[in-house]
Amino acid sequence: MAYEAFDRKGLRTVAAFVRFGASRFAEAGLCFAHGTDNAVDEALVLVLHALHLPVRPPLPAGLFHARRPRRERVEAEALLRRRIDERVPAPYLTGEAWFAGLRFEVDPRVLVPRSPLAELIEGGFQPWIDGSSVRRVLDLGTGSGCIAVACACAFPEATVDAVDSAAAALEVARRNAELHELDDRVRVLESDLFEGLAGAPDREEGGAAGGRYDLIVSNPPYVPDEEMAELAPEFRAEPVSALEGGADGLDVVSRILAEAPRRLVPDGALVVEIGASPIVRAALESRFDLPFVWLEPQRGGEGGFLLHAHDF
């Protein structure tokens, strides 16, 4: 359904624009899965961005009914129109997304940060991991760098290797490491999973790349072929290579499990997100005889699994 023109006379406040946008979004049957889960919140994010009002912390109640200049109202209308007509996730329209309480710059070169692992990272993966012992972290398939940066914040004594096979994505990851002033502890590397690590230059401090890690985290491609064919347009606006997991969703996950034991310190841990697909979980448990710890974040979503080095 295309965006419908409207009478601007009744749309002068934040509340009016949000109410209108949410109604049009629901009418158009949009998908909400990239930072919001409903039409009202999606409209609110876009309207606040267009009106140059903070998305976080919460907007003071009085501002919802404040009249806005015509220029800002036109910008808000344009964003609402694009969200419906182009069917792209809201963060691609605003250029930003939030993950683990941190702001990240995003664009169509990377997945929109939304992993339920955020909650677990904020908690330092307790009780499964002793955060005080984490000195080296590896983020496989870093994309925007959100997991790598969040881990650097959660484990302030650790250095983080953020790797991805897509050079375009690494440009975004580097920008986000710099944005949070963590480019001294977050090293961004081009590598197809573990393959490019051995030849990477050593750190000045903290050990050599290609060595072992206290913690390996990954949000790999895991969408099975069957489900790829059914994805909403909003997901198809993202890099396909960051979603496609093969017939059973395990093409990349299997490679991680095969190599991880050689890349972990004796008391290290591996955390991998695999989503909510019953196809993927059933295939994983059938193919690998491992004592998976299934992670269930309290804020919702499927967190994936955790394995310790000795589990292998």
Side-chain angles (χ1 to χ4, degrees):
M1 175 180 177
Y3 180 87
E4 178 182 312
F6 57 89
D7 180 1
R8 295 186 184 86
K9 292 181 180 178
L11 297 177
R12 299 187 182 279
T13 66
V14 173
F17 263 105
V18 172
R19 188 165 54 244
F20 175 83
S23 296
R24 298 290 81 76
F25 288 175
E27 257 186 307
L30 302 187
C31 172
F32 310 110
H34 296 84
T36 69
D37 60 6
N38 62 82
V40 173
D41 287 344
E42 187 89 350
L44 180 61
V45 166
L46 291 173
V47 171
L48 292 180
H49 179 81
L51 302 184
H52 308 287
L53 294 171
V55 177
R56 295 188 179 192
L59 189 70
L63 285 180
F64 275 100
H65 302 287
R67 289 175 174 261
R68 310 303 302 177
R70 181 182 180 281
R71 175 181 56 80
E72 291 186 354
R73 299 200 304 270
V74 170
E75 290 180 16
E77 177 192 349
L79 275 186
L80 297 178
R81 181 191 299 275
R82 288 187 62 194
R83 180 64 181 89
I84 293 173
D85 289 349
E86 299 177 23
R87 290 296 297 267
V88 299
Y92 287 164
L93 300 177
T94 63
E96 65 179 18
W98 292 80
F99 181 85
L102 304 169
R103 176 185 172 274
F104 291 90
E105 294 184 0
V106 296
D107 61 40
R109 292 175 290 179
V110 297
L111 288 181
V112 174
R114 58 182 179 277
S115 172
L117 293 181
E119 176 186 333
L120 301 172
I121 294 172
E122 289 178 279
F125 292 107
Q126 295 182 354
W128 305 284
I129 291 175
D130 176 10
S132 64
S133 66
V134 175
R135 292 293 182 273
R136 299 194 66 211
V137 179
L138 173 62
D139 174 20
L140 292 171
T142 194
S144 66
C146 62
I147 287 177
V149 168
C151 283
C153 292
F155 304 107
E157 301 302 316
T159 53
V160 183
D161 284 343
V163 307
D164 203 293
S165 60
L170 293 177
E171 293 177 10
V172 181
R174 288 191 185 93
R175 170 61 188 146
N176 281 319
E178 294 168 357
L179 179 68
H180 291 281
E181 299 181 346
L182 287 169
D183 46 318
D184 60 331
R185 290 201 294 121
V186 176
R187 180 174 59 170
V188 179
L189 300 167
E190 186 171 353
S191 174
D192 182 7
L193 298 182
F194 303 95
E195 290 182 4
L197 292 178
D202 293 355
R203 294 181 184 279
E204 292 181 3
E205 297 179 2
R212 294 176 179 267
Y213 296 88
D214 301 293
L215 174 63
I216 299 174
V217 187
S218 183
N219 177 16
Y222 56 71
V223 181
D225 291 344
E226 179 182 327
E227 295 179 10
M228 281 294 300
E230 301 173 355
L231 289 179
E234 284 84 353
F235 291 102
R236 294 189 173 279
E238 297 183 286
V240 173
S241 62
L243 296 170
E244 289 181 322
D248 58 7
L250 295 182
D251 283 4
V252 177
V253 176
S254 296
R255 292 176 57 201
I256 292 173
L257 286 171
E259 180 68 14
R262 290 187 287 273
R263 298 290 185 159
L264 288 169
V265 299
D267 59 348
L270 168 70
V271 178
V272 180
E273 179 182 340
I274 61 165
S277 172
I279 295 175
V280 180
R281 181 160 175 169
L284 187 69
E285 293 183 315
S286 174
R287 188 182 303 182
F288 297 95
D289 183 18
L290 291 168
F292 296 107
V293 175
W294 296 105
L295 306 173
E296 299 179 356
Q298 294 183 357
R299 296 199 295 257
E302 300 289 338
F305 64 80
L306 179 145
L307 290 166
H308 288 99
H310 57 74
D311 294 329
F312 291 94

